[in-house]
Amino acid sequence: MQEIVFKKEIENDFEIDDLSLEEKQRLVGAFVWLIEEDKKQNSASLSD
């Protein structure tokens, strides 16, 4: 059973270099959106 789980983890492994330029831009855009949303929700804690 452990071999199956370990093998599955390897199959899901990827490198950023394997992504196309468009995929990299979408990934960065998603992180930008997450950071902006976090700032909106936690603006009170940022002003300390």
Side-chain angles (χ1 to χ4, degrees), residues 1-2 4 8-12 16 18 20 23-24 26 31 33 39-40 43-44:
M1 182 68 178
Q2 287 180 332
I4 295 170
K8 186 173 178 118
E9 288 177 7
I10 291 173
E11 291 173 1
N12 291 337
I16 296 294
D18 295 339
S20 69
E23 291 170 323
K24 289 177 186 177
R26 289 175 57 201
F31 277 103
W33 179 82
K39 285 181 181 179
K40 288 178 191 175
S43 61

Side-chain angles (χ1 to χ4, degrees), residues 8-42:
K8 186 173 178 118
E9 288 177 7
I10 291 173
E11 291 173 1
N12 291 337
D13 194 24
F14 76 96
E15 297 285 330
I16 296 294
D17 292 334
D18 295 339
L19 298 175
S20 69
L21 179 59
E22 181 181 343
E23 291 170 323
K24 289 177 186 177
Q25 289 173 334
R26 289 175 57 201
L27 184 62
V28 170
F31 277 103
V32 168
W33 179 82
L34 285 170
I35 291 168
E36 289 172 352
E37 291 300 309
D38 185 60
K39 285 181 181 179
K40 288 178 191 175
Q41 294 179 12
N42 297 310

